Amino acid sequence: METNTPKLQEEWIKSAAAVADLIHMPIPSVARGPLWLMMGNPALTDPRGNIWMHPKVLGVPADIRQYLLAHEMGHALHHHGKMAFLAFVLLATLYVVSPVLCAWIGWGYILSVLAPYGLGDHAEFQADATAVKVLGSPYAVIRAQQEVMAVMGERITPRRERRWRKLRALAQM
């Protein structure tokens, strides 16, 4: 699959501009992410709001591209990248001050919040809700996620099914 042609880059830029216009935000930078950064994720948003795409998803159809961009822009709108970076900086600073306290706080957070509720479930749902606004339906978001999962070779997890139930509940409102 060709991933760096000018036509493909132009399509991503046009899609990013269209999605950003729909959710009333500045057009973010969208680029192919290096594999070491992507770690199996189809897309990532950094603390500055830049969007990084996995090479595997660069050739997806327009509706899937629109979903990926809307989801990642949802992360930027809700400042998830900035909050994650701030948490990392705080823990790193705390480690310098007291490694033991850092370990207690870090493990306490992991065991009391992240393990039972899923790593970033709330943030992922907020990003999915932004994608629903762009695509117009929770079912379109679920279908797009299934397509992305197929491209990335992922399986459906209990966490994913839980988020899909929440998305389907949006359709009932």
Side-chain angles (χ1 to χ4, degrees), residues 45-50 81-82:
T45 303
D46 68 22
R48 297 178 63 201
N50 301 317
K82 289 179 182 178

mmCIF file of all heavy atoms in Angstrom, residues 45-50 81-82:
data_model
loop_
_atom_site.group_PDB
_atom_site.id
_atom_site.type_symbol
_atom_site.label_atom_id
_atom_site.label_comp_id
_atom_site.label_asym_id
_atom_site.label_seq_id
_atom_site.Cartn_x
_atom_site.Cartn_y
_atom_site.Cartn_z
ATOM 1 N N THR A 45 -2.649 11.457 19.481
ATOM 2 C CA THR A 45 -2.618 12.913 19.570
ATOM 3 C C THR A 45 -1.586 13.282 20.618
ATOM 4 O O THR A 45 -1.647 12.782 21.739
ATOM 5 C CB THR A 45 -3.997 13.469 19.974
ATOM 6 O OG1 THR A 45 -4.959 13.024 19.024
ATOM 7 C CG2 THR A 45 -3.988 14.982 20.004
ATOM 8 N N ASP A 46 -0.653 14.145 20.256
ATOM 9 C CA ASP A 46 0.374 14.536 21.227
ATOM 10 C C ASP A 46 -0.115 15.727 22.061
ATOM 11 O O ASP A 46 -1.187 16.278 21.792
ATOM 12 C CB ASP A 46 1.715 14.809 20.527
ATOM 13 C CG ASP A 46 1.734 16.034 19.634
ATOM 14 O OD1 ASP A 46 0.889 16.939 19.812
ATOM 15 O OD2 ASP A 46 2.600 16.107 18.747
ATOM 16 N N PRO A 47 0.640 16.115 23.086
ATOM 17 C CA PRO A 47 0.192 17.212 23.956
ATOM 18 C C PRO A 47 -0.045 18.544 23.238
ATOM 19 O O PRO A 47 -0.792 19.378 23.716
ATOM 20 C CB PRO A 47 1.331 17.346 24.978
ATOM 21 C CG PRO A 47 1.954 15.995 25.020
ATOM 22 C CD PRO A 47 1.836 15.467 23.618
ATOM 23 N N ARG A 48 0.567 18.737 22.075
ATOM 24 C CA ARG A 48 0.378 19.982 21.327
ATOM 25 C C ARG A 48 -0.802 19.914 20.373
ATOM 26 O O ARG A 48 -1.086 20.878 19.672
ATOM 27 C CB ARG A 48 1.659 20.311 20.566
ATOM 28 C CG ARG A 48 2.831 20.572 21.523
ATOM 29 C CD ARG A 48 4.110 20.856 20.811
ATOM 30 N NE ARG A 48 3.980 22.081 20.037
ATOM 31 C CZ ARG A 48 4.767 22.380 19.012
ATOM 32 N NH1 ARG A 48 5.719 21.562 18.639
ATOM 33 N NH2 ARG A 48 4.601 23.508 18.360
ATOM 34 N N GLY A 49 -1.498 18.770 20.316
ATOM 35 C CA GLY A 49 -2.658 18.622 19.437
ATOM 36 C C GLY A 49 -2.339 18.105 18.054
ATOM 37 O O GLY A 49 -3.221 18.002 17.205
ATOM 38 N N ASN A 50 -1.071 17.750 17.804
ATOM 39 C CA ASN A 50 -0.699 17.159 16.520
ATOM 40 C C ASN A 50 -1.193 15.721 16.473
ATOM 41 O O ASN A 50 -1.167 15.020 17.487
ATOM 42 C CB ASN A 50 0.822 17.184 16.335
ATOM 43 C CG ASN A 50 1.368 18.587 16.381
ATOM 44 O OD1 ASN A 50 0.797 19.498 15.802
ATOM 45 N ND2 ASN A 50 2.470 18.765 17.090
ATOM 46 N N GLY A 81 -4.079 14.774 25.822
ATOM 47 C CA GLY A 81 -2.623 14.671 25.681
ATOM 48 C C GLY A 81 -1.904 15.551 26.679
ATOM 49 O O GLY A 81 -0.896 15.153 27.266
ATOM 50 N N LYS A 82 -2.416 16.750 26.891
ATOM 51 C CA LYS A 82 -1.801 17.665 27.854
ATOM 52 C C LYS A 82 -1.910 17.112 29.272
ATOM 53 O O LYS A 82 -0.967 17.202 30.055
ATOM 54 C CB LYS A 82 -2.452 19.043 27.779
ATOM 55 C CG LYS A 82 -2.101 19.797 26.527
ATOM 56 C CD LYS A 82 -2.785 21.144 26.479
ATOM 57 C CE LYS A 82 -2.445 21.852 25.178
ATOM 58 N NZ LYS A 82 -3.123 23.140 25.051
#
